[in-house]
Amino acid sequence: MGLTRVPGLLFGGDYNPEQWPEEVWQEDVRLMAEAGVNLVTVGVFSWSRLEPAPGVHEFGWLDRILDLLHAHGIAVDLATATATPPPWLVRDHPEVMPVDAAGTRLEFGSRQGYCPSSPVFRAATVRLARAVAERYRDHPALAMWHVSNEYADHTAECFCPESARDFRRWLKERHRSLDGLNAAWGTTCWGQHYTDWTQIEPPRKAPGPVNPAQLLDWRRFSSDALLACFEAERAVLKEVTPDVPVTTNFMSVLRDLDYWAWAAAEDVVTDDAYPDPADPRAAVKAALSYDLMRSLKRQPWLLLESAPSAVSWRPVNVPKDPGVMRLHSLQALAHGSDGVMFFQWRQARYGPEKFHSAMLPHGGTATRQWRETLALGADVRRLAEVAGSTTRAEVALLLDWDSWWGLEAPESMPSDRLRLHELLLSWYAPLHARGIAVDLAPPGRDLSGYRLVIAPNLYLCTAEQAAALAAFPGHLVVGPFSGVVDAADQVHDGGAPGPLRDLLGVRVEEWRPLPDGAVQEVETADGTRLSARTWTEWVEADGAEVVARYRGGPLDGRPAVTRRGNDLGNGTGSATYLSCLPEDPAPLLDEVLAAAGVTGVAGPDLPEGVEACRRGPYLFLLNHGSRTVTVPLPTPTQTTTDPDTVFTDLLTGRPLPSGPLSLAPGDAVVLKQSSPVLNSTDRF
Ligand SMILES: [Zn+2]
């Protein structure tokens, strides 16, 4: 059994039958069956059609399409339809619309406009979710519940008076007393001492920089306020249909929501991923977000939305070249998705997304897009056995939303050039290029299953998190500007790296961010030169050995990279601290990978542009580059001395000899080690 009751991999997309006359539905289900679609998401934006007046429900059309889909063997990821409140709710209760930081209440006319803290809105969503759940609880097409849509998209926070009241309730729970809040927020600074809870407001537009501790609590609250919306609906769904999995579609690597907390509240992690075909880093960014999705619950997840070709919301919406939809889809499967789903099934004729690509485009079935949809459906069927298989990573990158929010507070940091997504990518990209599987993990989790843990940045680091890192017996790498503040955004006693000081064996005396374009040379003990940009620090080694020093400038000769044997663990690991951001951390990374005994799944000689991922017994090799490459196949794992052992490419069903493999641009293979040995005539 996979993520849902549908066997094998899932294939399909968002389906909006309410935008089409019913005679089109017949063609839809016929073409879906032809393409191998086995799951569609229905009803995401249909609140105003399902409940045209308060408490008045019109389920007839939804009954008919669910019956029709089921009759054609297509299961449904059924939305609770609460993503966009209907006009009547907005006009009866204008307070359900969100207010921006400048105090402007936003108008109806788009989508997903609501105040997360509005009791009226929450009650209306729960009523509708219950009505939908009770009507379709036993419908045989129901495979999964889809709550709302892309939480935090368009409205990640609301600054209205109701949200202010909710914020105060949240603050009272966190800080207990006004004294506690004043202390945590450091309100003696800039004369902000509060004497009554009612004086506290959301961080609306102010004359200058807002208290960063207030902002940090606000980001925590805003994530929690939306999560409360999700949990209110989820509770109803679980009450009515305890066995139907519940999800809401995430938005890849998103700053606004603490996805560790969110994933814990849902049964299945699903993601909407829209890598930009015009971005040369699209593949590596997508891989990072897919690995995050796999890591959130440490189980297979589902790519619930992606673009067959162009999207409609960038300034320039570059389409996917022939073959790219397939390559990107296989990439998601390689990183643990149990299916490939799109926005959307049939291209819209109206609305803001009418130029967004679809599985079935405006031009119908006599199009390249449709032919690629059919071919991809066939590929997904060939890979059905991959469903449910898992990835074992030996390397983890740490990601903590508190730290992210603190790091990116505006107008109060030594440099606003430190952006967490980029810091993650600076380590993830070289690991990805080496074919090394990577998990994301929160600091504080038991990390003992990993050989190497990298914290690109832990600006905010608590004593508990530091203790968890100290207990990690493997090799640890910590990036700059870490261990700076506590959970209240207050600088640790004695400065950075605060609670990590003993573990890392360093003291940081001074931040020395670099102006844009400036380069600081760094030299390792063996004479390798690295170029650092953006950030450097004045560091004193205090128990650690210096493995690289700054060369030139005011830091000349001072420690740039330090390492300490991890005598706080079991003595086998190490703790490396980088006080700078090397443009290319490869020399340092290779050293620590070797020490940790970590190698890529396809060996050390992965050609540029080739992505290699092992998922259970399957090895995915994808060529994102623009030239044909030769990939060395790994030594078979089970019969290492048998020269006749071969791999089978699941996509073609053809056996491959154990040896170098030629991979054309945009092509991919999914290898499974096969036995018994096949006749030599079966090879090519
Ligand atoms: Zn509000």
Side-chain angles (χ1 to χ4, degrees):
M1 182 63 76
L3 302 177
T4 68
R5 64 182 69 170
V6 181
L9 295 174
L10 301 162
F11 184 62
D14 275 46
Y15 179 39
N16 295 297
E18 67 271 36
Q19 296 180 11
W20 298 94
E22 295 199 18
E23 51 268 28
V24 175
W25 298 1
Q26 296 292 338
E27 184 187 49
D28 282 328
V29 292
R30 180 174 62 76
L31 292 176
M32 284 178 189
E34 185 182 340
V37 167
N38 57 12
L39 182 73
V40 289
T41 299
V42 174
V44 174
F45 294 106
S46 61
W47 189 346
S48 63
R49 292 290 311 276
L50 290 177
E51 191 180 7
V56 177
H57 295 125
E58 288 186 358
F59 285 122
W61 66 272
L62 189 52
D63 294 350
R64 292 193 293 281
I65 191 64
L66 291 195
D67 291 348
L68 185 62
L69 288 164
H70 179 65
H72 287 75
I74 299 160
V76 173
D77 166 41
L78 185 57
T80 56
T82 53
T84 300
W88 58 259
L89 182 62
V90 172
R91 297 308 174 217
D92 286 354
H93 298 278
E95 75 275 15
V96 302
M97 289 301 287
V99 170
D100 69 13
T104 303
R105 192 172 293 281
L106 305 182
E107 184 44 279
F108 185 82
S110 181
R111 66 172 191 175
Q112 291 168 215
Y114 54 84
C115 166
S117 297
S118 162
V120 171
F121 173 73
R122 284 196 196 174
T125 62
V126 167
R127 273 199 309 275
L128 181 60
R130 181 176 291 284
V132 172
E134 288 179 344
R135 185 157 190 103
Y136 298 106
R137 59 190 302 166
D138 297 318
H139 198 286
L142 176 63
M144 183 159 65
W145 289 118
H146 180 296
V147 177
S148 190
N149 184 63
E150 295 183 341
Y151 280 104
D153 189 31
H154 306 308
T155 308
E157 52 193 356
C158 174
F159 297 82
C160 81
E162 191 61 56
S163 292
R165 281 190 284 277
D166 200 21
F167 185 37
R168 286 179 209 118
R169 278 191 291 272
W170 186 96
L171 290 168
K172 281 178 188 170
E173 246 176 60
R174 181 176 181 85
H175 299 290
R176 303 291 170 193
S177 68
L178 208 50
D179 286 348
L181 177 136
N182 276 308
W185 283 14
T187 54
T188 48
C189 176
W190 287 8
Q192 295 177 355
H193 184 78
Y194 294 102
T195 56
D196 191 282
W197 287 100
T198 60
Q199 296 162 356
I200 299 168
E201 294 287 345
R204 298 194 185 95
K205 192 168 169 48
V210 170
N211 184 338
Q214 179 185 0
L215 265 181
L216 176 58
D217 271 351
W218 175 253
R219 296 204 186 285
R220 289 167 169 147
F221 159 76
S222 295
S223 178
D224 285 354
L226 283 168
L227 180 55
C229 293
F230 170 77
E231 288 182 320
E233 289 195 45
R234 180 185 190 277
V236 168
L237 299 172
K238 281 295 166 190
E239 177 196 325
V240 179
T241 56
D243 299 326
V244 179
V246 177
T247 193
T248 183
N249 44 347
F250 287 169
M251 297 173 68
S252 300
V253 183
L254 181 76
R255 190 183 67 174
D256 294 317
L257 302 181
D258 180 350
Y259 278 156
W260 298 120
W262 279 73
E266 60 178 5
D267 300 316
V268 175
V269 169
T270 57
D271 190 41
D272 297 357
Y274 293 98
D276 185 354
D279 181 353
R281 295 197 297 167
V284 69
K285 288 179 179 173
L288 171 64
S289 74
Y290 297 161
D291 283 348
L292 171 62
M293 294 303 140
R294 191 193 63 238
S295 302
L296 285 170
K297 290 185 87 69
R298 291 193 275 190
Q299 65 185 36
W301 56 284
L302 176 61
L303 179 66
L304 196 57
E305 288 185 26
S306 58
S309 186
V311 299
S312 55
W313 38 265
R314 293 192 173 101
V316 178
N317 297 296
V318 174
K320 291 180 178 173
D321 289 340
V324 173
M325 174 180 77
R326 174 181 188 259
L327 187 66
H328 285 188
S329 300
L330 294 173
Q331 185 189 22
L333 299 178
H335 287 268
S337 177
D338 264 0
V340 176
M341 305 275 291
F342 294 97
F343 182 86
Q344 59 178 326
W345 161 252
R346 182 184 280 273
Q347 193 169 20
R349 292 183 60 192
Y350 49 78
E353 292 177 304
K354 61 183 176 294
F355 298 122
H356 194 294
S357 58
M359 300 168 78
L360 178 60
H362 292 147
T365 54
T367 55
R368 166 177 82 86
Q369 178 61 63
W370 177 248
R371 288 190 292 276
E372 291 200 25
T373 297
L374 290 179
L376 180 61
D379 279 337
V380 171
R381 282 196 298 283
R382 292 184 191 106
L383 298 178
E385 65 179 84
V386 170
S389 58
T390 55
T391 300
R392 183 174 135 58
E394 296 177 322
V395 179
L397 287 184
L398 297 187
L399 168 59
D400 177 59
W401 264 267
D402 274 359
S403 196
W404 192 353
W405 293 326
L407 177 70
E408 297 189 6
E411 300 182 289
S412 61
M413 304 303 269
S415 167
D416 68 2
R417 300 298 196 261
L418 297 184
R419 314 302 287 181
L420 193 77
H421 191 191
E422 285 299 324
L423 296 174
L424 286 169
L425 282 167
S426 72
W427 288 103
Y428 183 84
L431 289 162
H432 178 255
R434 285 159 175 71
I436 293 170
V438 179
D439 278 352
L440 281 290
R445 175 182 285 181
D446 174 13
L447 301 167
S448 56
Y450 300 105
R451 291 170 181 265
L452 171 63
V453 169
I454 300 174
N457 173 268
L458 272 184
Y459 163 73
L460 186 157
C461 184
T462 65
E464 294 74 23
Q465 290 169 342
L469 290 180
F472 169 59
H475 295 267
L476 173 70
V477 175
V478 176
F481 203 47
S482 289
V484 180
V485 299
D486 64 14
D489 199 40
Q490 300 195 2
V491 174
H492 286 294
D493 275 346
L500 298 171
R501 198 173 308 148
D502 289 344
L503 174 63
L504 298 174
V506 296
R507 288 185 294 112
V508 181
E509 290 195 12
E510 189 178 26
W511 316 121
R512 299 189 66 88
L514 298 173
D516 293 344
V519 175
Q520 169 70 57
E521 293 298 314
V522 171
E523 185 178 7
T524 65
D526 67 1
T528 303
R529 289 269 178 157
L530 305 172
S531 297
R533 289 182 186 270
T534 309
W535 187 267
T536 60
E537 294 172 1
W538 183 297
V539 170
E540 291 286 344
D542 185 9
E545 56 180 295
V546 179
V547 298
R549 294 183 184 276
Y550 291 107
R551 292 298 176 212
L555 291 174
D556 186 49
R558 301 209 59 78
V561 181
T562 61
R563 183 166 301 140
R564 171 167 214 178
N566 188 0
D567 53 9
L568 302 175
N570 65 9
T572 60
S574 65
T576 302
Y577 181 64
L578 276 77
S579 67
C580 58
L581 295 173
E583 274 182 306
D584 178 11
L588 297 165
L589 181 64
D590 285 331
E591 195 179 30
V592 73
L593 284 170
V598 175
T599 54
V601 295
D605 302 317
L606 203 57
E608 189 178 342
V610 174
E611 178 168 24
C613 299
R614 188 176 286 285
R615 181 176 175 186
Y618 311 100
L619 177 63
F620 287 71
L621 295 170
L622 306 104
N623 186 0
H624 296 280
S626 55
R627 59 187 181 87
T628 298
V629 294
T630 302
V631 185
L633 289 187
T635 306
T637 53
Q638 289 159 15
T639 53
T640 52
T641 57
D642 183 352
D644 290 327
T645 301
V646 293
F647 295 91
T648 298
D649 177 10
L650 292 185
L651 287 167
T652 60
R654 298 167 76 181
L656 296 169
S658 178
L661 167 81
S662 178
L663 204 54
D667 204 1
V669 293
V670 181
L671 300 178
K672 182 187 183 187
Q673 188 179 325
S674 58
S675 59
V677 177
L678 296 163
N679 295 329
S680 59
T681 52
D682 291 324
R683 305 201 193 136
F684 57 90

